[in-house]
């Protein structure tokens, strides 16, 4: 059973940066066959897909709301995906989740992702 564990959340001032990590374990097949996505959910709002990366070919995609500020990357040796978040703003405050899509649909829709981490809180406030 694939398990995903997020870390790296916290409190940061506007304009600051954080790097989130998503560590994966418990693969039925290899790490090199997944699309890993980052999602976030703010209080009272729907879950938003913000970025994904394919662990095989490294292809990425970003939501318009984070494009140019966030960067997703992977370390296949560590079975880990990172989300570097720069120029954070109060509207980025949310619980951030990573999730895995074993069918590699290359989309930022939660319906495609069937393994989820527990989430990590990111709060942007002065």
């Amino acid at each position: 059973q694939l398990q995903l564990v997020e870390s790296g959340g916290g409190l940061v001032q506007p304009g600051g940066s954080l790097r989130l990590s998503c560590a994966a374990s418990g693969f039925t097949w290899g790490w090199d066959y997944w699309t890993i996505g980052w999602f976030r959910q703010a209080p009272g709002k729907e879950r938003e897909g913000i970025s994904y990366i394919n662990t095989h070919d490294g292809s990425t995609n970003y939501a318009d709301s984070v494009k140019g500020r966030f960067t997703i990357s992977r370390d296949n040796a560590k079975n880990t995906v990172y989300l570097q978040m720069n120029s954070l703003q109060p509207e980025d405050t949310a619980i951030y989740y990573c999730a895995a899509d074993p069918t590699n649909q290359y989309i930022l829709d939660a319906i495609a992702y069937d393994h989820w981490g527990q989430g990590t809180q990111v709060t942007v406030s002065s």
Side-chain angles (χ1 to χ4, degrees):
Q1 179 73 12
L2 178 64
Q3 293 184 329
L4 302 173
V5 178
E6 303 94 336
S7 62
L11 173 65
V12 64
Q13 293 186 340
S17 299
L18 283 174
R19 189 178 78 157
L20 305 184
S21 299
C22 173
S25 62
F27 301 98
T28 300
W29 58 90
W31 164 253
D32 201 31
Y33 293 92
W34 300 84
T35 295
I36 305 296
W38 282 100
F39 294 78
R40 66 185 180 186
Q41 189 163 20
K45 294 188 177 181
E46 294 185 354
R47 188 166 296 189
E48 176 189 14
I50 56 177
S51 186
Y52 70 69
I53 187 167
N54 182 269
T55 60
H56 177 66
D57 61 20
S59 59
T60 61
N61 194 19
Y62 299 90
D64 289 343
S65 59
V66 305
K67 200 171 292 183
R69 300 188 299 125
F70 291 10
T71 302
I72 193 170
S73 62
R74 75 201 194 283
D75 184 337
N76 285 355
K78 296 182 178 179
N79 294 347
T80 299
V81 168
Y82 303 99
L83 186 68
Q84 178 67 43
M85 305 187 296
N86 298 330
S87 301
L88 285 162
Q89 299 301 319
E91 53 266 35
D92 295 314
T93 295
I95 299 175
Y96 284 70
Y97 301 88
C98 67
D101 168 20
T103 61
N104 297 304
Q105 296 183 50
Y106 292 85
I107 59 175
L108 279 173
D109 189 334
I111 196 170
Y113 295 77
D114 57 5
H115 296 83
W116 291 81
Q118 82 289 349
T120 186
Q121 177 71 48
V122 172
T123 302
V124 185
S125 176
S126 56

